[in-house]
Amino acid sequence: MSQISRRTLIKASAATAAAAAVAAPGVASAEMMESPKEHPGYPAAKESAAIFPENPLPESDLSLTGSFNLGKSQLNEGESITAFRWGVVRPVVKGGRIVGCKPFEHDYQPSVNLQGIAEMPYSTARIRYPMVRESYLKNGPASRATRGDENEKWVRVSWDKALELAAKAIRDTYDNYGPSAVYGSSYGWMSTGKLNAAITCQHRLLNLMGGFVGRRNSYSSAAVNTIFPYVVGTGDPRSTSWDVVIKHSERVVFWGCDPVVTNDIDWYTTLHNYAGYLRALKKKGTKTISVNPVETDTAEYMGSEWIHPNPGTDPAVMAAMIYELDATGKIDKAFLDKYTYGWAELRRYIVGEEDGVKKTPEWAEKISGVPASKIRSFAHEVQEHRTMFMIGWGIQRIDFGEQSHWMLAALCSVLGQIGLPGGGLGTNYHYSSGGSPLSEAPFMAQIPSSVKPVRPVTKPWKGSKVLPVAAVSDALLHPGKTVDYDGKKVTFPDFHLVMWAGGNPFAHHPDTNQLARAFKKPDTVIVTDIVWTATARHADIVLPACTAFEHNDITNIGTYSNDGFIAMKQAIEPQWEAKPDYDIFSALADKLGIKQAYTEGRSQMDWIRKFYNDARQMGATLGQKMPDFDTFWKKGYLLFPVSEENRNYVSFADFRADPKAHPLSTESGKIQLFSPKIAGYHYNDCLGHPTYFQPTEGVAAATKEFPLALMACKSRYRMHSQLDCTATRLRGTIEDREPVWINPKDAKARGIQNGDICLVKSRRGQILAGAVLTDRIIPGVIVVHHGGWFNPRQTAHGVVDVRGNSNTLVLDKPTSQLARGNLASTANVEVSLWKGAVPEVTVYDQPPRTIV
């Protein structure tokens, strides 16, 4: 077998990497200099050639831990190394200022967003000083009603004053109400470091104080991470290696999956391993199929066949494929008997014995819009060929989101290909280069957050200790409310303090206007962040944190692959009065009298050295020799080898070989096509088997007032809301508004042309967006990409989010009582021309300030 190695994969991207050094912030590229009318959004022109430039370098000798020589002409004085979610970068510093970022020489596909990363320290939205809301400074919690108001002024205070105010609010809350009154779960992706990870630093502080209300799961994957442990025993099973896929898969199906866009980032940092594998898959000529209401960048690059169901109807298509295979005698009965539990119960649903409705392709066509003939041919094609289904997470951030992954597991079981090389399904090929082989190396820990309290807890706990990740609005608005959650009852505490570090729920959470109302409820809101997000603007006390350029740290490369370690070296001094997150929370701990417990007497470099040395010691036990810390830090990175065994990894292979010796962690030890446990919960929105439920809002729920269905896909030009405050966003905006992709047929019916500013309205709110007419979205559906900053302003049409945050439009309801995951693509909307003057976008400016 021809293995795909780092050496092979890096060839095609190294030339690109060498040429991709970013211009100084403020210097526009030729693409950015085009006018918005000429370059509206990014789907208008075919761009597949620009996604993965095919420009391999001549073969050269490159060891796994060697240095790829880009030539001295490519190296600048002041060049260092650090890491972001978008990859490892070499910041170039002149005169104490970042003037550009070079991609790491081992990056297979450097991010298109390096310029935005370089601009972050100098963003116009940078939080420059500790700030306190003027009304809060005068009246304290009694001023909560004006929190987040557009014209609320802010007062610059000293660090000492800000920390005193924050410490008082924290201490008062614990003393008067106890830890159950503290929502400190936070959520976000700001820092990738092991020390200055904002959320971890905050959790450590609050646990030392006595604890706080925790959260379970993530906005990214709450539905799948809840349902899949019931179905296959784990929420995010390790995917079959890409090497195996390339060799053995005869068909690859991207179901709700766009790895070209979403693999640009990693929870830690990334070498973008996926890119070389996609090149290899394309070069081999393996047929790929994209199932998605949108023609994705991946589908365009790969030349995939495009099957386009209506949003939220995927389980119906899958159920109809199962019906067709069962009706034609093509199911793998032997696999179902040996490896699954509950086929008889699921089949009763499929053939209509349970509810009187046969799940035929004709039935699914009426729901999904996919022709019955295509559903039939698709079912037989994947049955006749070894097929890998790569399913994304966006498909479960919808109403009844648990059902898509569960029904796909059922379809793959009927096909009988789970556990075979190149067959089955994978849930993370679209994220953090999932499917890349795991290295033979230790994993590095971070600063511990699960620490015991060091001060007495005097108040009894009221309410549940752990809430669903997306319960924040509901909990703030309805203290004491009890809801069903994954077989249990959860009661919302009465929150008096909200602390948020390094994240922006005003981009993550649906129904943003409701979230704004919810943020007016607690006594105090404290936010630690880099820039003036909407979350920071809805706070009382704002503490300015550093970017990764402004402090030292360390991190892993690759969430799933653990490719190596990166020294995150400080490149510039902290800008204005920003501080590293560790220093901020250490200073807060000092004000609270718990500094020694928080720091354990260690400096930042002490912790960083400890993280590395602990991993080095663990590596020695695994037979992986690592250099000492000083040697590692001087070089700046360490890459690990990959074994042939891991390159040939097949998901569920051990289970398939011997299900008794290697049972799954499920009720039966097998794949659960029917779950007695879930059935026993008696939920009407998540039955004991996978089911199609009509989404509350969507194509089937269209009305005269709101006839279109919304999809909120990931943007190529940011990660959630990060980088939206840099010039990177201008590559995809129209007059600084988020684009709304609309099919030409729908646009014509509304008199809308390319580049027009439009009002997009739902039952919950309204936004401004720039029209992009494209056949890449099916009629009856629009796309507004996720992550635009929330910028509500009063207009003649009422309050309008003038920048274009998609979640302003989205329904805030749980995916089901089982997972209570968040929605991102469930809304009915109408699009109309905006008439009159276009309100200015103000969210990237400094907020109004009072000088004292």
Side-chain angles (χ1 to χ4, degrees):
M1 170 175 169
S2 176
Q3 300 293 352
I4 309 297
S5 66
R6 280 195 182 88
R7 176 178 178 179
T8 304
L9 293 176
I10 201 172
K11 288 168 57 183
S13 63
T16 306
V22 175
V27 179
S29 67
E31 179 189 13
M32 292 176 65
M33 290 171 65
E34 294 178 295
S35 71
K37 292 287 184 180
E38 295 170 333
H39 189 65
Y42 62 83
K46 297 290 183 181
E47 296 185 279
S48 59
I51 296 173
F52 290 144
E54 303 281 356
N55 188 19
L57 292 181
E59 186 72 26
S60 61
D61 187 19
L62 174 65
S63 68
L64 287 173
T65 57
S67 173
F68 193 85
N69 183 14
L70 293 178
K72 290 184 179 180
S73 63
Q74 299 295 331
L75 301 178
N76 291 325
E77 183 178 352
E79 184 177 315
S80 183
I81 193 168
T82 190
F84 293 88
R85 308 291 187 189
W86 297 269
V88 181
V89 300
R90 292 194 176 276
V92 180
V93 181
K94 291 184 178 179
R97 184 179 177 89
I98 305 265
V99 296
C101 278
K102 289 184 176 181
F104 186 42
E105 53 269 28
H106 294 284
D107 196 325
Y108 311 150
Q109 186 60 44
S111 174
V112 299
N113 293 311
L114 297 189
Q115 177 164 338
I117 295 170
E119 290 176 8
M120 277 296 290
Y122 318 108
S123 167
T124 57
R126 188 74 194 267
I127 302 172
R128 300 172 179 176
Y129 313 104
M131 303 289 280
V132 180
R133 194 166 56 86
E134 183 180 43
S135 298
Y136 183 86
L137 194 60
K138 294 178 179 178
N139 303 312
S143 69
R144 62 173 69 85
T146 60
R147 187 180 293 140
D149 286 4
E150 181 180 352
N151 296 316
E152 178 72 280
K153 292 184 177 180
W154 291 81
V155 179
R156 175 184 171 182
V157 299
S158 67
W159 265 106
D160 191 63
K161 178 68 173 178
L163 292 169
E164 283 182 0
L165 288 170
K168 181 180 186 305
I170 295 169
R171 189 183 299 108
D172 287 351
T173 304
Y174 279 94
D175 289 347
N176 296 329
Y177 306 104
S180 62
V182 180
Y183 190 93
S185 295
S186 192
Y187 185 90
W189 279 54
M190 188 176 75
S191 174
T192 184
K194 297 294 184 178
L195 178 62
N196 287 290
I199 298 170
T200 308
C201 288
Q202 178 171 286
H203 287 181
R204 180 176 175 86
L205 177 81
L206 296 180
N207 276 325
L208 289 170
M209 287 294 294
F212 60 95
V213 178
R215 61 171 171 82
R216 178 182 157 199
N217 277 323
S218 70
Y219 278 90
S220 294
S221 56
V224 61
N225 279 342
T226 302
I227 192 64
F228 249 39
Y230 287 96
V231 180
V232 296
T234 179
D236 190 22
R238 181 180 173 187
S239 291
T240 294
S241 168
W242 266 107
D243 301 77
V244 176
V245 170
I246 290 167
K247 182 175 183 180
H248 293 282
S249 296
E250 298 170 319
R251 297 289 185 270
V252 172
V253 178
F254 301 110
W255 206 311
C257 179
D258 190 9
V260 163
V261 171
T262 54
N263 265 321
D264 194 38
I265 54 93
D266 191 291
W267 180 250
Y268 295 107
T269 192
T270 178
L271 300 179
H272 299 106
N273 315 42
Y274 80 96
Y277 287 116
L278 281 181
R279 291 188 190 102
L281 191 70
K282 182 177 182 179
K283 184 176 182 180
K284 185 179 179 182
T286 301
K287 181 179 178 181
T288 61
I289 302 164
S290 176
V291 186
N292 202 310
V294 179
E295 185 183 19
T296 64
D297 288 2
T298 303
E300 190 176 333
Y301 171 70
M302 298 297 295
S304 304
E305 179 184 348
W306 181 25
I307 298 174
H308 36 78
N310 294 324
T313 66
D314 307 87
V317 175
M318 297 170 188
M321 293 171 72
I322 295 173
Y323 181 96
E324 172 66 16
L325 294 172
D326 181 60
T328 56
K330 297 292 183 67
I331 65 171
D332 192 329
K333 190 64 164 59
F335 183 91
L336 292 169
D337 290 343
K338 186 174 182 179
Y339 299 104
T340 73
Y341 176 92
W343 166 241
E345 289 85 350
L346 176 58
R347 186 178 184 278
R348 288 187 67 250
Y349 169 74
I350 295 293
V351 301
E353 293 174 4
E354 179 179 295
D355 58 3
V357 178
K358 294 181 179 181
K359 310 308 180 293
T360 65
E362 286 75 17
W363 165 83
E365 177 179 355
K366 294 176 183 178
I367 293 168
S368 67
V370 179
S373 59
K374 171 49 65 179
I375 294 174
R376 285 194 170 88
S377 65
F378 187 23
H380 290 290
E381 182 173 8
V382 297
Q383 189 273 330
E384 293 164 2
H385 297 86
R386 186 68 60 83
T387 302
M388 177 59 71
F389 289 87
M390 300 181 176
I391 187 168
W393 289 345
I395 199 172
Q396 51 90 64
R397 287 191 293 269
I398 59 173
D399 211 1
F400 312 109
E402 297 85 352
Q403 304 307 316
S404 292
H405 281 74
W406 196 0
M407 193 69 82
L408 183 61
L411 173 59
C412 290
S413 297
V414 166
L415 293 170
Q417 297 184 15
I418 295 174
L420 294 177
L425 78 162
T427 61
N428 49 51
Y429 287 105
H430 66 289
Y431 164 64
S432 296
S433 291
S436 299
L438 182 65
S439 74
E440 299 293 306
F443 198 80
M444 185 162 44
Q446 62 184 3
I447 187 170
S449 61
S450 297
V451 289
K452 294 181 179 179
V454 294
R455 67 193 303 274
V457 177
T458 60
K459 297 293 181 179
W461 197 284
K462 296 181 180 180
S464 298
K465 292 189 176 183
V466 177
L467 302 183
V469 64
V472 57
S473 276
D474 202 8
L476 287 170
L477 291 169
H478 305 111
K481 177 181 176 181
T482 298
V483 299
D484 288 295
Y485 177 38
D486 198 11
K488 301 178 178 64
K489 299 287 185 181
V490 169
T491 300
F492 298 151
D494 187 4
F495 292 116
H496 289 263
L497 172 67
V498 169
M499 292 185 68
W500 217 282
N504 185 16
F506 282 80
H508 270 108
H509 196 83
D511 196 348
T512 319
N513 287 317
Q514 177 177 265
L515 181 66
R517 294 190 293 272
F519 257 60
K520 293 180 184 292
K521 293 292 185 178
D523 296 339
T524 301
V525 177
I526 302 170
V527 167
T528 306
D529 212 329
I530 296 169
V531 286
W532 281 104
T533 64
T535 306
R537 292 168 189 268
H538 284 77
D540 301 309
I541 303 166
V542 175
L543 306 176
C546 285
T547 67
F549 293 120
E550 297 163 280
H551 57 63
N552 291 313
D553 215 321
I554 190 171
T555 196
N556 296 83
I557 309 173
T559 297
Y560 296 105
S561 52
N562 196 24
D563 294 295
F565 297 159
I566 286 293
M568 299 172 63
K569 297 184 179 183
Q570 181 176 349
I572 57 174
E573 292 298 317
Q575 300 298 292
W576 292 282
E577 290 185 8
K579 292 181 181 293
D581 292 276
Y582 177 74
D583 288 1
I584 292 172
F585 286 97
S586 296
L588 255 180
D590 191 21
K591 293 289 185 182
L592 293 164
I594 56 172
K595 183 178 180 179
Q596 178 58 35
Y598 189 88
T599 66
E600 298 180 18
R602 293 188 177 98
S603 67
Q604 287 197 56
M605 286 306 298
D606 290 339
W607 279 109
I608 293 168
R609 186 180 292 269
K610 173 178 169 55
F611 301 151
Y612 181 86
N613 286 334
D614 287 350
R616 184 176 183 236
Q617 185 175 354
M618 183 183 299
T621 66
L622 298 173
Q624 178 65 45
K625 187 176 180 181
M626 294 167 53
D628 62 44
F629 176 79
D630 291 335
T631 302
F632 157 76
W633 191 259
K634 182 178 180 180
K635 184 174 183 179
Y637 67 93
L638 175 66
L639 300 179
F640 298 128
V642 174
S643 69
E644 289 300 301
E645 180 182 359
N646 282 340
R647 290 196 181 280
N648 292 298
Y649 177 79
V650 175
S651 187
F652 298 105
D654 289 343
F655 168 67
R656 184 171 186 125
D658 191 339
K660 291 184 178 180
H662 303 282
L664 304 180
S665 298
T666 60
E667 297 164 69
S668 65
K670 300 179 179 182
I671 299 168
Q672 300 287 152
L673 305 185
F674 175 80
S675 168
K677 184 177 287 186
I678 293 177
Y681 298 156
H682 302 292
Y683 296 154
N684 61 4
D685 51 7
C686 189
L687 307 181
H689 55 71
T691 310
Y692 168 70
F693 295 97
Q694 180 179 306
T696 305
E697 296 192 20
V699 170
T703 65
K704 184 177 181 180
E705 185 180 8
F706 300 110
L708 302 172
L710 169 74
M711 285 191 66
C713 306
K714 295 295 184 186
S715 172
R716 186 193 296 177
Y717 299 125
R718 57 178 174 261
M719 181 188 66
H720 300 304
S721 64
Q722 290 189 58
L723 297 190
D724 201 52
C725 59
T726 70
T728 295
R729 75 177 182 277
L730 299 178
R731 302 169 70 182
T733 57
I734 297 172
E735 297 185 30
D736 216 4
R737 319 293 156 160
E738 193 63 23
V740 50
W741 293 11
I742 185 169
N743 187 276
K745 293 179 181 178
D746 293 324
K748 183 177 181 180
R750 292 161 175 79
I752 294 172
Q753 298 181 3
N754 255 327
D756 284 340
I757 300 301
C758 299
L759 181 71
V760 186
K761 184 177 182 179
S762 77
R763 294 174 176 86
R764 289 153 294 278
Q766 45 193 354
I767 68 172
L768 290 187
V772 175
L773 278 58
T774 175
D775 289 322
R776 289 179 64 176
I777 184 68
I778 61 176
V781 181
I782 66 163
V783 169
V784 178
H785 287 85
H786 161 79
W789 278 21
F790 180 58
N791 191 183
R793 300 199 64 191
Q794 188 66 48
T795 74
H797 295 268
V799 175
V800 177
D801 173 10
V802 299
R803 167 65 181 93
N805 169 34
S806 63
N807 270 333
T808 301
L809 308 169
V810 175
L811 182 68
D812 185 7
K813 72 175 287 291
T815 53
S816 78
Q817 295 168 93
L818 185 80
R820 302 196 78 86
N822 56 290
L823 311 186
S825 290
T826 303
N828 282 114
V829 302
E830 178 57 297
V831 181
S832 59
L833 279 171
W834 178 267
K835 297 178 181 178
V838 180
E840 182 183 359
V841 173
T842 59
V843 72
Y844 307 116
D845 302 329
Q846 294 290 305
R849 186 155 69 93
T850 297
I851 306 297
V852 295

